[in-house]
Amino acid sequence: MSQFNCPAITTMERTKGANLFVLDVVRQKSLTGGPSITVRMCVVVGKRLQLFYWKNRNFFELREDLAVPDYPKAISWCKETLCLAFKTEYCLLNLLTGDQEELFTTSKQGEPLITRVSIDMFALVQDKKSILVSTDRNLEMKAVFWNEIPTALVYDEPYLIAICGKGVEIRTVAPKLQIDCFPLAGAKLISTTKRGHVYIASGNSIWCLKSCPVETQIESFLKEKHFELALSLANLWDELPDERCKQVAHIQKLYAFNLFCNKNFDGAMNIFSKLETDASHVIGLFPDLLPADFRNKLEYPGALPELQGIDLEKGLLALTKFLIQARRNLLGDSKFKLQTISSTVALGEGNSTIRTKNQLLQIIDTTLLKCYLQTNESLVESLLRLKDNYCHLEETERALKRHGKLKELLIMYRTRGLHNQALHLLQRENNKVRIIQYLQHLGREHMDLILEFSKPVLLENPNEGLKIFIEDIQEVESLPRPRVYDFFLNNFIPLVILYLEHIIHVWGDKTPMFHNALINQYRERICNSTTDQSSKEQLQLKLVQFLQTSQYYTAEHVLLHFPYVGMYEERALLYERLGRHELALQIYITKLKNMNKALEYCKQVYSKTDSSRKEVFTILMKMLLSPPTDSKPGVMDSEEQVKEPDLPSAIKLLHDFAPCIEPFRALKFLPDDIEIHKVQNFLKTSVQNHFSERRKLLIQKGLTKSEFLRATSEKCLCESELFQVSDNTVCDVCRKRFTNQR
């Protein structure tokens, strides 16, 4: 050492008596982008640990000293954890909390050894093995075994190099391989300064172990299929970043392919996914998933294994996960927004990648479908129902038909809008129930198809076929009802009434056209000679009830189609809707000869406040005393005998409904020779009503006058107040002066 100039930079008096020390050197980039090096040191002085950091060419105290229970024999530093070896055991010490944790006993023979393997892992020697321990206190289930007990140990990634007995052993951690073993007499110490250079010293000699070029080591490991070691070396390769990345990707592809050939499908697919390998190349690893002509063009690093039975099922499950992730990347990631793809990786050297996004998605979705058919059939429906489903139509058809998946095939047709093919398929299967269900969910934009394919169903089973148009489904309810009505009217007349009754009574349709149409259909069926008497009675009951309850039919239009002979009660109800009460009552009196119905009519129509309705009882009394003689079509025929006056019924009407009859008009209709006691009750009631009404008017007049006087008084009071408004007066609402208002 006298040949070299090694001047002392600094001296630390506190470390007097030190027997061990360890450095922690961290290299990183600063905020400005330049290199930054942090150096910390731990010095062992007896049973105390002294901690320092380097700054401005000197060491400064990092924190207070730490006490340990024994004299450390070896020490190493990773992150914020120290690993200590005492005489009988190893332990970890957390610098942040000061906590110590015992690990396991040291070697029974020889001195304890510790070496740092990575930024968060130590290798601890125990007899003929080295145990890996991480800084988070998890014992790795890995151990490197030696032929003899190591006396010195160093790690030169990815190799552990130990002096064992009279020689040197070189091994790897993963996989556990012995790389080399050679004798070296007297070797005692071992150290490394930079990667690829290891120095070994004896009492009188120093040797340097220099590794072969990295590319040579990688090539050797690839031939022996030690891909993990090859990857470790490739990441350490002192080559341009682009070349290093290409080499790493090449090794990963070979590694993934080797995992696949060894039936480790999940591991292979994870690597393919990280590499963003072209999905079509990965799919080609499996049989019968790609078209034969396309698969035959693909080249792979080696022969593909034959997959059958449970191996094939496991492979397809792993492939499914890979395809789902690839699909998610294509549809979601920003770099795949364009329709062209430039970042996928070819699995074989001579293979070309797919550049079109839609084409790749088509291959992925079609393969997913085939995988589901072989592994989990319940997922086929969910895939086909996706709005962004890209399954290849012909391939999917063949696959679904081969597996007998009619329901799933219909789902695909529906999502693709191929309703014609779906309905023809159902017709060939003669599945009327599914045809009905399918048509019910098509919606109004496919009305032509609904009408076309509903005809055979309606011809075979009208009641079931009618459900296509009246089921309580949103798509059915939104169908264009005028077109459906015309369809039934032109092709299936017996179903018209059922359809109209449903849309009016169940769906609450208020369109006058449909209300008029239902009345006309009732009328036509009643007047049809082929309708049996029982059906006629039911239809008449429905028609009368509908005429009484519906508020949306047009009476003048409907009345034009009613016959003049028969259906008199229905005609009377139409006259009522038109406000022609005299004609309605005339039908009840002359045609139906039913005084009770005439009275019921008057009770129902009468309204004291409506001038057109308040005279209805008076009209009935007039008709009883002076029966009409003019002939009117549908009301009174010309050859019909004139009804005689019915004075008793008129007097009874006056007695029972005196408040509802205008007295002055009633007296005009009564005969002059009528006895006064017969109309005494009517006259008395009329006079009382007159005086009661007069009394109400007087009270109302008084109240009105009182309110007028009160308002007049309030007005005078308000007008008596004086308000002075000048240009400077401020408004209480807007808080502005009047001079500022424009």
Side-chain angles (χ1 to χ4, degrees):
M1 295 296 292
S2 61
Q3 301 178 29
F4 301 93
N5 182 18
C6 297
I9 298 175
T10 184
T11 302
M12 294 177 291
E13 296 297 334
R14 288 189 62 233
T15 61
K16 187 176 181 179
N19 57 333
L20 287 174
F21 76 93
V22 64
L23 291 175
D24 177 51
V25 181
V26 179
R27 293 176 173 85
Q28 58 189 7
K29 287 186 178 181
S30 64
L31 296 177
T32 60
S36 174
I37 300 177
T38 303
V39 178
R40 296 184 295 178
M41 181 173 64
C42 177
V43 180
V44 179
V45 182
K47 295 183 180 181
R48 304 191 67 80
L49 304 180
Q50 298 178 1
L51 299 167
F52 305 92
Y53 68 95
W54 178 258
K55 184 178 181 182
N56 297 331
R57 298 177 62 82
N58 203 350
F59 278 104
F60 297 91
E61 188 174 342
L62 180 64
R63 57 165 294 170
E64 68 276 6
D65 295 352
L66 295 173
V68 291
D70 200 355
Y71 296 97
K73 299 291 185 179
I75 186 170
S76 186
W77 193 340
C78 284
K79 292 185 176 178
E80 302 303 321
T81 302
L82 288 173
C83 185
L84 303 171
F86 302 113
K87 184 176 181 180
T88 59
E89 66 180 3
Y90 292 103
C91 81
L92 294 179
L93 190 151
N94 190 309
L95 296 178
L96 298 178
T97 62
D99 296 336
Q100 299 181 27
E101 181 179 349
E102 297 179 359
L103 295 177
F104 47 83
T105 59
T106 58
S107 301
K108 296 179 181 179
Q109 300 177 7
E111 292 294 323
L113 297 176
I114 304 174
T115 190
R116 173 173 164 168
V117 175
S118 65
I119 61 172
D120 59 355
M121 189 173 295
F122 306 98
L124 284 63
V125 174
Q126 185 186 54
D127 297 326
K128 292 185 179 182
K129 62 182 177 182
S130 294
I131 302 173
L132 301 181
V133 179
S134 62
T135 55
D136 57 2
R137 294 166 173 76
N138 290 328
L139 295 178
E140 294 284 336
M141 299 305 293
K142 295 179 182 179
V144 178
F145 293 88
W146 309 94
N147 294 325
E148 297 185 40
I149 297 175
T151 57
L153 181 68
V154 74
Y155 182 73
D156 184 34
E157 190 176 2
Y159 307 108
L160 270 176
I161 305 171
I163 298 175
C164 300
K166 296 181 179 182
V168 176
E169 288 188 39
I170 303 174
R171 294 181 178 271
T172 57
V173 176
K176 299 174 184 178
L177 299 175
Q178 181 175 330
I179 303 302
D180 201 355
C181 181
F182 55 89
L184 196 61
K188 294 182 179 180
L189 301 175
I190 188 169
S191 179
T192 181
T193 56
K194 65 177 182 178
R195 187 181 55 79
H197 292 75
V198 176
Y199 295 92
I200 302 175
S202 67
N204 53 13
S205 301
I206 297 178
W207 297 274
C208 178
L209 296 182
K210 189 175 181 182
S211 65
C212 298
V214 171
E215 54 269 26
T216 304
Q217 297 181 63
I218 290 175
E219 184 178 352
S220 175
F221 284 137
L222 289 180
K223 287 180 181 179
E224 297 174 5
K225 295 187 177 181
H226 298 315
F227 300 101
E228 292 176 281
L229 291 175
L231 280 174
S232 298
L233 290 170
N235 288 320
L236 301 173
W237 195 14
D238 294 330
E239 191 58 69
L240 294 175
D242 291 343
E243 292 298 324
R244 184 168 61 247
C245 290
K246 288 181 181 180
Q247 182 70 356
V248 169
H250 173 67
I251 297 172
Q252 286 179 322
K253 286 190 290 185
L254 295 177
Y255 183 31
F257 182 78
N258 183 69
L259 290 175
F260 180 85
C261 293
N262 291 321
K263 313 289 178 65
N264 186 351
F265 303 111
D266 288 328
M269 295 303 157
N270 287 337
I271 297 176
F272 286 141
S273 183
K274 291 177 182 177
L275 290 175
E276 295 181 356
T277 308
D278 191 298
S280 64
H281 299 177
V282 180
I283 295 168
L285 295 169
F286 296 84
D288 303 326
L289 293 182
L290 289 176
D293 55 344
F294 183 85
R295 187 170 185 259
N296 292 335
K297 296 178 182 179
L298 298 177
E299 298 179 359
Y300 294 100
L304 295 176
E306 292 186 7
L307 300 178
Q308 295 177 348
I310 190 66
D311 289 335
L312 178 60
E313 184 177 350
K314 289 181 179 178
L316 292 176
L317 289 172
L319 177 63
T320 299
K321 296 177 184 177
F322 167 80
L323 293 176
I324 291 173
Q325 184 60 46
R327 189 180 196 278
R328 188 178 295 119
N329 292 340
L330 284 172
L331 294 175
D333 289 355
S334 58
K335 62 182 176 181
F336 291 114
K337 294 297 183 184
L338 300 176
Q339 292 301 313
T340 57
I341 304 170
S342 59
S343 60
T344 55
V345 178
L347 182 53
E349 295 300 329
N351 296 336
S352 60
T353 59
I354 295 177
R355 300 295 184 183
T356 306
K357 176 180 176 180
N358 286 344
Q359 185 180 359
L360 187 56
L361 282 170
Q362 190 177 72
I363 293 174
I364 290 174
D365 282 0
T366 307
T367 306
L368 270 175
L369 176 87
K370 294 178 179 179
C371 291
Y372 288 154
L373 287 172
Q374 297 183 61
T375 58
N376 192 346
E377 294 182 350
S378 62
L379 296 176
V380 174
E381 289 187 29
S382 59
L383 173 63
L384 293 174
R385 282 197 174 97
L386 290 175
K387 292 182 179 180
D388 53 358
N389 164 31
Y390 290 85
C391 288
H392 188 272
L393 181 61
E394 289 76 12
E395 280 288 322
T396 303
E397 279 182 325
R398 283 194 289 269
L400 293 175
K401 289 178 180 178
R402 187 165 58 249
H403 287 80
K405 297 296 179 182
L406 175 63
K407 181 180 178 182
E408 289 78 3
L409 186 56
L410 292 175
I411 292 173
M412 187 195 70
Y413 283 143
R414 182 188 296 277
T415 55
R416 296 293 180 86
L418 303 174
H419 306 297
N420 207 328
Q421 289 90 320
L423 291 166
H424 278 298
L425 175 64
L426 290 173
Q427 279 188 340
R428 289 194 297 271
E429 297 288 332
N430 195 27
N431 195 326
K432 294 294 186 295
V433 175
R434 284 197 173 181
I435 291 176
I436 292 173
Q437 293 174 349
Y438 197 97
L439 293 174
Q440 286 173 341
H441 292 87
L442 279 183
R444 61 185 302 148
E445 60 272 14
H446 301 287
M447 195 64 199
D448 292 334
L449 279 177
I450 295 174
L451 298 181
E452 177 186 351
F453 286 92
S454 64
K455 281 185 179 180
V457 182
L458 288 165
L459 289 172
E460 183 176 333
N461 193 333
N463 290 331
E464 288 297 316
L466 185 62
K467 292 180 180 179
I468 299 171
F469 303 96
I470 64 171
E471 197 72 20
D472 289 331
I473 300 173
Q474 183 177 359
E475 291 86 351
V476 174
E477 193 170 347
S478 64
L479 293 178
R481 295 171 189 174
R483 192 171 178 186
V484 177
Y485 167 68
D486 290 338
F487 171 72
F488 282 122
L489 195 62
N490 295 326
N491 300 280
F492 303 96
I493 294 179
L495 299 177
V496 174
I497 289 180
L498 295 176
Y499 176 71
L500 291 173
E501 286 179 341
H502 187 86
I503 66 173
I504 291 173
H505 299 316
V506 178
W507 290 344
D509 196 306
K510 300 177 181 179
T511 307
M513 180 186 75
F514 296 131
H515 287 251
N516 295 344
L518 182 57
I519 294 172
N520 288 329
Q521 288 296 317
Y522 283 145
R523 174 186 54 76
E524 290 178 4
R525 291 282 295 279
I526 293 170
C527 296
N528 195 327
S529 59
T530 60
T531 307
D532 60 88
Q533 187 60 34
S534 175
S535 299
K536 282 185 178 181
E537 291 176 358
Q538 292 180 359
L539 290 170
Q540 282 181 320
L541 184 62
K542 286 184 178 181
L543 177 57
V544 170
Q545 185 178 4
F546 188 70
L547 289 172
Q548 290 173 340
T549 57
S550 174
Q551 302 296 321
Y552 304 103
Y553 63 86
T554 311
E556 56 268 25
H557 293 165
V558 174
L559 187 61
L560 295 175
H561 302 285
F562 267 70
Y564 293 123
V565 179
M567 303 188 74
Y568 295 114
E569 184 176 0
E570 291 81 355
R571 181 178 285 273
L573 291 173
L574 292 173
Y575 282 141
E576 174 194 348
R577 182 60 57 87
L578 293 171
R580 300 168 69 178
H581 307 298
E582 186 173 355
L583 294 178
L585 289 171
Q586 188 174 346
I587 289 176
Y588 286 120
I589 298 299
T590 60
K591 289 294 184 181
L592 299 178
K593 297 180 175 57
N594 192 326
M595 184 61 184
N596 291 331
K597 283 195 174 184
L599 288 174
E600 288 297 324
Y601 177 87
C602 291
K603 292 177 185 177
Q604 182 178 350
V605 171
Y606 178 78
S607 174
K608 188 175 182 181
T609 59
D610 190 343
S611 59
S612 63
R613 292 171 174 263
K614 67 184 298 184
E615 300 289 339
V616 64
F617 280 101
T618 306
I619 294 172
L620 178 58
M621 193 199 73
K622 174 186 175 183
M623 200 170 292
L624 291 173
L625 296 174
S626 302
T629 57
D630 298 337
S631 63
K632 297 183 180 64
V635 178
M636 185 174 182
D637 301 331
S638 57
E639 63 275 5
E640 190 172 347
Q641 185 177 0
V642 178
K643 191 177 185 302
E644 294 295 329
D646 189 357
L647 182 59
S649 297
I651 293 174
K652 187 175 186 306
L653 182 67
L654 288 172
H655 182 272
D656 294 340
F657 300 97
C660 303
I661 300 174
E662 177 65 32
F664 296 105
R665 293 191 62 189
L667 292 175
K668 291 181 181 179
F669 302 140
L670 290 172
D672 296 337
D673 57 349
I674 189 172
E675 298 177 0
I676 193 68
H677 69 87
K678 293 182 178 181
V679 294
Q680 180 180 359
N681 180 65
F682 168 69
L683 294 174
K684 186 184 296 184
T685 302
S686 298
V687 171
Q688 289 175 350
N689 289 340
H690 176 75
F691 280 108
S692 176
E693 187 68 24
R694 183 173 181 275
R695 195 178 303 111
K696 288 180 182 179
L697 291 174
L698 289 174
I699 293 172
Q700 185 177 358
K701 178 183 177 182
L703 292 173
T704 304
K705 185 176 181 181
S706 175
E707 179 64 19
F708 173 76
L709 293 175
R710 187 194 64 77
T712 302
S713 175
E714 187 176 345
K715 175 176 176 288
C716 293
L717 181 62
C718 292
E719 290 177 346
S720 65
E721 295 184 18
L722 177 64
F723 296 93
Q724 291 184 353
V725 179
S726 66
D727 292 343
N728 295 324
T729 303
V730 177
C731 175
D732 288 338
V733 177
C734 65
R735 313 305 299 173
K736 295 181 180 179
R737 298 183 184 276
F738 286 103
T739 53
N740 296 331
Q741 306 303 310
R742 297 182 183 274

